Amino acid sequence: KPSNMLNGLLVVNKPVGPTSHDIVYRIRKWSNERRVGHTGTLDPLASGVLIICLGPATRVSEYLLGSDKKYQAIIRLGQSTDTYDSQGTFTNYVDVNLTQEQVENALTKFRGVIMQTPPAFSAIQVDGKRAYEAAREGEPMDLQPREITVHALNLVSWKSPDLVVDVACSAGTYIRSLANDIGKELGTGGHIASLMRTATSHFTLKDAHSLNDIETAFREGKGGALV
């Protein structure tokens, strides 16, 4: 399809490394479509489902921003960081001697409607300034807790110090904050060692295309078939 015919959603399997904005930039370049947007940021550390809107479909992005998400996370206990993930500065180390029962008991406190404080290193804006900018300058903002819903929080495996969980949650949930808070509840601290978004709304990894496949399709003039 010519670029002016592109109108729809492209489900990307984002690799670890690039930002969500990097993905938008690449797809804009490959597709020659000016109007390209994403429907919910994934941190550079995170991989998985990132929905890209092209053309007039960018108007639906706000609806998808508000949709439920699913993740699989590896929470490394006993190690805290200022960003709540492995890319931050390590702030604390604690020995971890927890039973699976202790871990399961802690998780029960994070199911349902809960209050969650976003990470200091987040893109939230207060008075026109991003929280992560203030945090980098050594003056983290006092971010207020907000209500989120954790529809499901299931233990996949526990092999010290790594806790693997599947999470289904409302939009606006920070899995990094969840990891930090679970670590606090267990008395060990914790951070996200690995994060994969497995679904946004009803779009899953099965629907997602790799960046290589997307680039190849657009180079061969078949990119429209993926949208």
Side-chain angles (χ1 to χ4, degrees), residues 42-43 69-75 83-85 116 119 148 150 152-153 165-170 172-182 190-192 194-197:
L42 270 180
D43 292 334
K69 315 282 193 298
K70 290 182 181 175
Y71 298 89
Q72 184 164 99
I74 299 176
I75 301 170
T83 58
Y84 305 167
D85 65 25
Q116 184 187 70
I148 58 155
V150 178
L153 175 59
V165 290
D166 281 337
V167 187
C169 54
S170 62
T173 301
Y174 283 91
I175 307 299
R176 285 182 291 139
S177 283
L178 193 61
N180 183 68
D181 294 344
I182 289 169
H191 71 274
I192 288 287
S194 167
L195 182 64
M196 177 170 62
R197 189 191 282 160

Side-chain angles (χ1 to χ4, degrees), residues 21 43 74 105 107 132 161 174:
H21 185 75
D43 292 334
I74 299 176
N105 285 342
L107 294 183
Y132 65 79
Y174 283 91

